[in-house]
Amino acid sequence: MLSGGHHDPHALLGAHSVRGGVELRVLRPHALSVTVLAKGLRTELNDDGDGLFSGVLPLRTTPDYRLLVTYEGHEDGFEVEDPYRFLPALGELDLHLIGEGRHEELWRALGAHPMTHQGVTGTRFTVWAPNARGVRVVGDFNFWDGSGFPMRSLGATGVWELFLPGIGDGALYKFEIMRPDGSYTQRADPMARRTEVPPANASIVTESHHEWGDQEWMARRGELPVHEAPLSVYEVHLPSWRPGLTYRQLAVQLPKYVKDLGFTHVEFMPVAEHPFGGSWGYQVTGFYAPTSRMGTPDDFRHLVDSLHRAGIGVLVDWVPAHFPRDDWALAEFDGRPLYEHSDPARAAHPDWGTLEFDYGRKEVRNFLVANATYWCEEFHIDGLRVDAVASMLYLDYSREDGEWSPNVHGGRENLDAVAFLQEMNATVYRRCPGVVTVAEESTAWNGVTRATHHVGDDGFGGLGFGLKWNMGWMHDSLGYVEHEPVHRKFHHNEMTFSMVYAYSENYVLPISHDEVVHGKRALVSKMPGDWWQQRANHRAYLGFMWAHPGKQLLFMGQEFAQGAEWSEGHGPDWWLLDPSYAAEPDHRGVRDLVRELNTVYGKAPALWQRDTVPEGFAWVDGGAWEDNVFAFLRFDKHGSPLLAVSNFSPVVRHGYRLGVPETVTAWAEVLNTDEERFGGSGVLNPDPMKAEQVESHGRRTSIAPTLPPLATVWFRPA
């Protein structure tokens, strides 16, 4: 016990009935004396050495007692409760569910929880460390010396527990673990719900006092299935959106900005605690703690609450694919591989120098599934965008022959990861109505957004996601617009190919942070030509994107055509919108267009009601490669159409005939990316156009609008 390697310190410490009375043993290293205080009783215990004090009280039953402990320089002493007089503060049902790997509210069982136990207030500390020989609690309340605070093992579950009276909200702590080889390691709590500001890494005892004000939002957020609802997402890296702002300051500025631009949702890059800011949150050490860089967990709740009250949904990037190797975090947590796979070849992530989770271990799977529901339930998050799904699904991901072993069927699929993702999605959708999960999955895995109980031709059930990022559309469409207009005709199919597989999954079209860093250039800077042409291409591309089947996501800074790549150090170049900057109207015009796109999009069910079914789309002309023109129709559930036409050439095309449905007698321009207020040349179709009985594109009626240069135009029935 003195070395920190005892599995049941409560059997030795505290009060125990013996022949002749009640034996009391106390472990208080460095104490000069320990006196037992009870009703009508004051007895000094014998000093047995090594910080142990004991005595036999001539009593038949154990009284409610406290301890008076004196130290050098504090001879008056400190009156404290004895942690070793308390029964376990974790119930049998919790332990059973943890042992089964089925505790869907794991965060309520493990970690540090302020509570009242046996009539005394304090904090229950619990941690899963099945390979440990012993575990002790260390913190600022015991000068980071855990020798007097050993925890007890609660049976075969691998859970260790200790209730510490008098410890409450704000206390710093870690777990000191004796490894199987007898060495020691101090670890942050894997279930910590609050942490120190990096680079400090202690866990912090916390309890929420936030009172939610988003009841109306929560009640109606699930009224429409997400794939049949408008979804326009503004992606944000919170620490750099406005560098230096706290969660509460962001709660004032961000909802106002996003609401003004008309986005339906924000998506936060990972907010779970991470030691290195340059990882942008994708190397997580505190899976249950919002990063403390900008405030407390309740401050983060306040931000989400403010967005909800402004009518804006909140998605958060979630990173269950890997974790970093920091020696105070999850890696070999209790001296042996625990959260990571026991096979070093399976554990090491080949791309990022991190460790992959062992999805086949039920407790690890439980840790992650509960974490997904935790963010949705505790922080009212409306959706999780799951990072790097492809790296989880394939055993040979970024591995050469000989560096991986096939599954039991001889295949390359990671069956454990498949089962985990299915369980996670099924659990989240069952527990959290209205929440959506979104997969960043870059391969052609079959059934990413198929229900888990629907088995495909490959023998696998669907993964159960609600939406999937369309990485193919992103790659192909950006490849097309990066070419000079004169060369685009040779790449025409890169803009049309997405419709070949458009209904294989429920898609989001992502222009994310990944596309505007590391030498890839900002969106406007990818475009060819001079500054006017770059902005025109940028606007035309956004118009095409918003009209294309699928939801859309745009990373911060791209909404006002920032020319420089994003940097987490200084965030968007807001100075471009300063009226004192000469080119400010150029950037404001693009932002005005994004506002208009979102406004018209939200009012046009044809652009979102039937995103995932073929009946919602029809080509008018997908083969006008010589003209760099794309024209298609979108339909709402009643069949009402919207016509979108993109001209990716720098010439005006007068009287460009397009076949249209005969049911519409006249068409009016509803959006034109070439409007002067957006920075365009002002080539418009100001008056409604009557449909003519002129056959075109296989249709009996047609219109002949003027197509502006490098622009997208939307028409609707007049």
Side-chain angles (χ1 to χ4, degrees):
M1 184 173 68
L2 293 176
S3 67
H6 202 289
H7 74 284
D8 189 12
H10 291 68
L12 299 175
L13 302 177
H16 301 274
S17 295
V18 296
R19 181 177 297 177
V22 175
E23 183 181 48
L24 202 68
R25 185 179 289 114
V26 174
L27 177 59
R28 287 284 163 167
H30 315 298
L32 297 178
S33 67
V34 176
T35 300
V36 180
L37 306 176
K39 188 175 182 180
L41 177 71
R42 182 185 180 96
T43 302
E44 185 173 338
L45 299 179
N46 299 317
D47 185 349
D48 299 333
D50 295 322
L52 284 166
F53 299 82
S54 67
V56 177
L57 307 180
L59 302 171
R60 292 184 178 181
T61 60
T62 302
D64 287 335
Y65 68 91
R66 292 170 64 84
L67 302 175
L68 179 66
V69 186
T70 66
Y71 296 92
E72 186 175 348
H74 298 278
E75 283 73 13
D76 291 340
F78 300 94
E79 191 174 323
V80 296
E81 295 279 357
D82 181 6
Y84 297 92
R85 77 173 182 87
F86 294 91
L87 296 170
L90 192 64
E92 289 296 326
L93 178 59
D94 286 315
L95 291 172
H96 172 75
L97 293 173
I98 291 170
E100 292 286 313
R102 295 288 179 181
H103 203 309
E104 294 180 359
E105 297 181 354
L106 189 65
W107 67 92
R108 302 189 192 279
L110 297 181
H113 288 268
M115 63 190 306
T116 299
H117 181 47
Q118 293 178 216
V120 176
T121 59
T123 294
R124 181 194 68 202
F125 293 90
T126 45
V127 63
W128 178 61
N131 298 308
R133 287 172 56 181
V135 184
R136 301 189 286 205
V137 180
V138 299
D140 58 358
F141 44 83
N142 60 16
F143 302 98
W144 301 97
D145 178 0
S147 55
F149 296 84
M151 305 176 74
R152 63 179 148 204
S153 174
L154 298 178
T157 59
V159 175
W160 299 75
E161 181 267 354
L162 181 64
F163 175 73
L164 288 183
I167 306 303
D169 199 355
L172 274 61
Y173 72 99
K174 284 187 178 183
F175 296 112
E176 184 176 73
I177 296 171
M178 178 185 277
R179 301 183 179 103
D181 65 2
S183 62
Y184 301 91
T185 178
Q186 284 193 5
R187 299 289 175 135
D189 183 0
M191 303 292 298
R193 291 169 295 137
R194 183 182 172 192
T195 69
E196 283 190 290
V197 178
N201 53 46
S203 304
I204 302 178
V205 177
T206 187
E207 54 183 334
S208 176
H209 302 284
H210 179 75
E211 295 185 7
W212 290 95
D214 63 349
Q215 291 79 9
E216 182 181 346
W217 170 270
M218 296 294 285
R220 65 177 178 82
R221 71 176 180 181
E223 288 177 353
L224 274 180
V226 68
H227 58 283
E228 298 176 5
L231 186 75
S232 177
V233 183
Y234 183 60
E235 189 190 18
V236 176
H237 179 250
L238 279 176
S240 70
W241 185 72
R242 294 276 191 182
L245 294 191
T246 65
Y247 288 130
R248 289 188 177 272
Q249 290 167 332
L250 284 162
V252 175
Q253 296 190 29
L254 186 60
K256 187 184 303 181
Y257 184 79
V258 175
K259 185 77 171 176
D260 174 63
L261 289 185
F263 288 97
T264 66
H265 289 70
V266 292
E267 179 178 313
F268 297 152
M269 290 165 67
V271 296
E273 193 59 270
H274 50 284
F276 176 49
S279 77
W280 309 333
Y282 290 99
Q283 295 198 6
V284 178
T285 49
F287 282 81
Y288 284 79
T291 179
S292 54
R293 291 169 172 85
M294 294 165 285
T296 68
D298 270 359
D299 293 338
F300 180 66
R301 288 181 175 91
H302 176 74
L303 172 59
V304 176
D305 206 350
S306 298
L307 285 158
H308 282 173
R309 284 185 276 113
I312 299 161
V314 181
L315 312 178
V316 168
D317 276 16
W318 184 55
V319 191
H322 63 124
F323 58 92
R325 297 174 179 265
D326 300 75
D327 60 8
W328 50 267
L330 296 183
E332 293 193 353
F333 181 75
D334 58 5
R336 291 179 180 163
L338 189 65
Y339 290 91
E340 67 271 42
H341 203 282
S342 57
D343 179 354
R346 286 279 299 274
H349 197 291
D351 289 346
W352 302 315
T354 52
L355 296 169
E356 297 185 14
F357 283 101
D358 182 0
Y359 305 107
R361 185 162 193 161
K362 62 183 184 296
E363 297 93 343
V364 175
R365 198 164 60 241
N366 191 176
F367 173 82
L368 292 170
V369 172
N371 187 237
T373 60
Y374 169 78
W375 287 99
C376 298
E377 294 186 13
E378 289 291 319
F379 296 99
H380 290 198
I381 299 303
D382 303 296
L384 299 171
R385 176 268 195 184
V386 183
D387 181 62
V389 171
S391 76
M392 302 163 64
L393 290 175
Y394 298 99
L395 296 168
D396 62 346
Y397 183 85
S398 285
R399 293 178 170 92
E400 303 295 333
D401 290 343
E403 296 178 349
W404 63 282
S405 301
N407 62 34
V408 292
H409 305 299
R412 57 197 282 254
E413 300 86 5
N414 186 337
L415 303 180
D416 292 334
V418 172
F420 155 66
L421 290 169
Q422 291 173 328
E423 181 182 348
M424 181 276 296
N425 280 314
T427 304
V428 167
Y429 278 105
R430 172 171 49 81
R431 289 184 63 103
C432 310
V435 165
V436 63
T437 58
V438 186
E440 186 219 10
E441 202 283 313
S442 54
T443 73
W445 183 280
N446 184 25
V448 173
T449 58
R450 190 171 64 228
T452 56
H453 59 277
H454 288 167
V455 179
D457 297 336
D458 55 5
F460 289 102
L463 295 184
F465 285 94
L467 298 168
K468 170 182 170 174
W469 275 19
N470 194 335
M471 310 297 280
W473 172 88
M474 178 273 298
H475 179 271
D476 290 347
S477 63
L478 288 179
Y480 174 85
V481 295
E482 286 176 2
H483 289 289
E484 292 283 350
V486 69
H487 298 134
R488 284 175 176 166
K489 64 182 179 181
F490 304 112
H491 302 271
H492 195 80
N493 66 306
E494 293 177 14
M495 290 288 265
T496 59
F497 182 65
S498 58
M499 292 313 302
V500 173
Y501 59 86
Y503 308 110
S504 60
E505 303 281 3
N506 304 333
Y507 282 117
V508 176
L509 312 179
I511 300 300
S512 72
H513 65 278
D514 276 332
E515 309 317 314
V516 296
V517 291
H518 299 327
K520 294 182 181 179
R521 297 171 293 172
L523 182 57
V524 74
S525 298
K526 297 176 191 288
M527 306 299 176
D530 59 25
W531 176 230
W532 189 94
Q533 292 173 321
Q534 285 183 308
R535 285 183 294 118
N537 275 298
H538 182 101
R539 295 191 306 269
Y541 181 78
L542 293 180
F544 176 83
M545 172 181 173
W546 254 251
H548 190 285
K551 314 308 177 184
Q552 54 276 332
L553 175 143
L554 190 65
F555 183 60
M556 63 184 195
Q558 313 316 301
E559 78 275 15
F560 59 84
Q562 171 177 316
E565 287 188 344
W566 168 64
S567 162
E568 79 276 1
H570 66 255
D573 291 332
W574 297 110
W575 57 271
L576 296 173
L577 296 170
D578 191 316
S580 64
Y581 177 58
E584 178 263 341
D586 298 348
H587 299 279
R588 188 186 64 229
V590 174
R591 190 171 65 172
D592 289 345
L593 170 67
V594 170
R595 182 187 298 109
E596 189 71 7
L597 284 168
N598 281 326
T599 299
V600 179
Y601 168 80
K603 296 177 180 177
L607 294 177
W608 40 264
Q609 258 182 359
R610 303 171 91 180
D611 263 336
T612 59
V613 292
E615 295 80 10
F617 177 92
W619 282 111
V620 172
D621 194 345
W625 56 275
E626 283 283 6
D627 298 334
N628 296 349
V629 169
F630 305 87
F632 54 84
L633 291 158
R634 299 294 310 278
F635 300 94
D636 67 17
K637 64 182 180 181
H638 302 295
S640 180
L642 183 144
L643 172 65
V645 189
S646 295
N647 175 21
F648 284 102
S649 62
V651 297
V652 179
R653 301 195 181 279
H654 297 281
Y656 199 87
R657 190 158 294 279
L658 298 165
V660 292
E662 331 178 31
T663 54
V664 180
T665 57
W667 296 78
E669 186 176 276
V670 64
L671 182 135
N672 187 327
T673 68
D674 193 51
E675 282 192 53
E676 290 182 1
R677 64 186 172 123
F678 304 143
S681 59
V683 176
L684 309 176
N685 295 275
D687 301 318
M689 291 169 290
K690 289 186 177 180
E692 301 173 290
Q693 298 299 312
V694 178
E695 189 170 330
S696 182
H697 300 106
R699 299 177 186 273
R700 294 182 181 180
T701 59
S702 60
I703 57 175
T706 297
L707 303 187
L710 299 174
T712 293
V713 187
W714 297 353
F715 302 94
R716 68 181 177 194

